[in-house]
Structures are given as C-alpha cells and as structure tokens.
Amino acid sequence: MESETNVLGAELEGCSMDPVTGFMRDGYCYPLARDPGRHEICAVLTEEFLQFSKAQGNDLVTPRPELNFPGLEPGDRWCLCVPRWIEAREAGHAPPVVLAATSEDVLEDVSLETLREYSHEN
C-alpha cells in the first residue's frame, strides 16, 4: 500500500485483518483507480446495516468459500463502499465509522462533521 492519510489528517490505520478486508484484502480502506466501488470507509458492522445491505442486493452475511469470503457478523470491521454507506445513512441504517482507518478521499463525498457523528469512537 502506498502512503495514505485518514480523514483526521494522520497516517491511515488498518481496518481489519480478521476478517481481512479492503479491496486488496490487505486490511486497509484506501482509494484505488481500479476499485470503482470505492472501499474507503472503515465501518463497524451492525445487524441493521447487514440486513439493509442484503436487502439492497449485497449479501455480506452468507459465507462464499469460492471467493474466500467468510461472511460477516455484527461487530466485524469492514471497508465499505462510499456510495453504499451514504445510501445506508440516507435510509437511517449507516454503521459506525472508524475515523483513523477511513481514507481522507471520503471527504470528497461526506463531511468530517458527518463522519464524526457516526464515529465508532464516540
């Protein structure tokens, strides 16, 4: 991973290695030109968000061994796509965000004030 900055202006921290997350499955949520989904928000998943995502056609709960995907549970940290998090927020289902592990590029679409409202650290 190239050097990256989080939304707080510090060095980007890892999101999760268990389960391993990130577009590159290296534990980090950072922008990549080849990642059109923008997996840049580190979130602590909730049952409410997982059910919302599944209803939108993105089942994050069911294990997919053929894709080396274990399935996710409430409490897991995961790099979410920026548009999905925004959609979940607008619907009242956004999960908490780990600010230190969320890419500064997210600030192009979501204000720091909004992210702080959803901060896992609160």
Side-chain angles (χ1 to χ4, degrees), residues 9-61:
E11 184 176 339
L12 185 69
E13 295 180 8
C15 182
S16 177
M17 291 303 288
D18 184 22
V20 68
T21 191
F23 183 77
M24 298 299 295
R25 293 299 192 260
D26 59 4
Y28 289 84
C29 308
Y30 55 90
L32 286 169
R34 64 183 177 189
D35 175 15
R38 298 191 56 207
H39 294 79
E40 299 167 15
I41 294 181
C42 179
V44 179
L45 302 180
T46 62
E47 180 66 30
E48 183 179 17
F49 172 78
L50 290 168
Q51 292 308 314
F52 172 78
S53 186
K54 188 174 183 176
Q56 302 309 307
N58 186 20
D59 181 358
L60 298 172
V61 177

